Amino acid sequence: MPNPGKTFYVTTPIYYVNDRPHIGHVYTTTLGDVLARYHRLRGDEVFFLTGTDEHAAKVVDAAEERGLTAQAWADQNAAEFEQTFAKLSMTHDDFIRTSQDRHKSRVTQYVKALLDSGDVYLGDYEGWYDAGQEEYIPDNKAQEYDFKSPFNGKPLIRKTEKNYFFRLKEYRQALLDYIEANPGFVQPDSRRNEIIARIADAEDTPISRTGANDWCIRVPGDEDHGIYVWIDALFNYLTTVDTDDRRKFWPCNVHLIAKDILWFHGCIWPAMLMALKKQPGYDWVELPTQVYTHSFWISEGRKMSKTLGNFIDLETIDQYVDQFSLDALRWYLSTQGPLGSTDSDFAKSKFIEVYNSDLANTVGNCASRVTNMIVRYFDGVLPSPGREDQLAKSLRASAEGMYNNVNAMYEKTAIGAANEAALEVVRAIDNYIEQTQPFKLAKDDGQREKLGAILYQCAEALRIASLGLYPTMPLKIQELWKMIDCQYDVENGDLQAWTKWGGLKPGATITKGAVLFPRVQKD
Ligand code: ME8
């Protein structure tokens, strides 16, 4: 392993089991998968976590409506998330469910430690609650929202109850100092500014609910209170790796989330970790390196909604995979998605445009051209590189520069830009072919050596580009590797060494293979 001791831990939110998986869940998990694959390819030891958030009050209601126990309903729906992610070739290393004992016992320990230290205390709550989001809303925010949920428009509920509170207010300054000292902690920058503004008036926050039924983790030592679902849920990131063989993965490198849950991840979560870290036995609990907050997918220009019928659900996702391939879907999500602070539109016409221009006409076309010419002119035996002229040198420089460019982008979670940096190399090959016109040289026997050198350079640059594209398009790139006689141990990679010029050896067997991305007509 080229990066001994270097670990990379990436998480997605754990999804509510009441919903069926949709494009939003698939999006965040795809981003996690791309990062995980990239870091494995680099040689890091990776832990990629996703899962389900199960102790929401609405789970009990939904189960009752169906005459099921909450556990049975959660089992059924968690299985759907697991099956969906398996079908989409996600490579998570674990799938945490908050109803599992391994999670419940650890959460009980953490909350006990916070009760013992006085960071959690019993008090009275009177205020607003967004039942759909399972979220307590401060008075000023409730007013701003006109007492309706900003997410589903339903009226906020007035709650008066005895609650355990976390002393969030005491951590205000420490949080602000931490965020200032670590500008990469909340990304992108616009979200960092948003969270700084909100932390400035953070109040102590409820972490329990009363009237709890059996569907919760109890507050230790108090049978009347269940731990508030959000507090239970946030701890998943820690419970899953709080074992002797996994503690090395902490602190988490990237928590991937969307803007709807920034408050919990950018404020409450780090504050709870700060509190826990002070307790005996928890000095290893550092803060996560980054909370990366993407925006939302909308669909065909409008907010996704079941009533509008523009929801990108599992059936629609399947159709895209059948028509364009899974890797094409991953490409669209990774390069056109809402990684920044604006929402992105999932629209069929745009999908086809991007598919044709990036995949059919660029990656796929370049792979076909290069392999076809080597098969046609050299019987599929890779020729020798020969001498490099100026044009060849510049192609080589583009390929050799890719690793640093791609790496710098992945370090910033700029997944779209990382893909663009790899695609640049493919474009450089296309340019090189336009400039050197190998199909013309092929007509002249006296130019065989030159023709061979050009095709070697194209194939070698294509190999390097393919490594940069692999994390996003693992299946198609593996097909391409078969065509150019390459094999890589992608689980234990050495990307830096593999992207050095000269990996392809003259004499290698090049085959045509199937067209990677057939062109699609816009109808
Ligand atoms: O909030 N576009 O779960 P959840 C992009 N259980 N991403 C979207 C999206 C959209 N339109 N809609 C949803 C919860 N997502 C809690 C999390 S974590 C400790 C607990 C994605 O099922 C995005 O990642 O409502 C968002 O943050 C997440 O799904 C919310 O999933």
Side-chain angles (χ1 to χ4, degrees), residues 12-17 19 22-29 52-53 58 81 133 230 233-237 256-261 265 294-298 304 338:
T12 73
I14 48 171
Y15 305 111
Y16 284 130
V17 273
D19 272 342
H22 60 65
I23 197 72
H25 311 125
V26 168
Y27 176 60
T28 316
T29 306
T52 43
D53 181 358
K58 57 194 172 186
F81 275 92
Q133 290 291 107
W230 257 106
L234 285 166
F235 276 126
N236 90 86
Y237 304 127
L256 293 168
I257 59 161
K259 59 184 179 180
D260 54 338
I261 57 178
H265 289 80
H294 62 72
S295 300
F296 270 4
W297 280 102
I298 56 170
M304 280 199 282

Side-chain angles (χ1 to χ4, degrees), residues 61 102 167 172 204:
D61 302 340
R102 59 172 173 158
R167 287 189 200 281
R172 264 187 199 173
D204 290 357

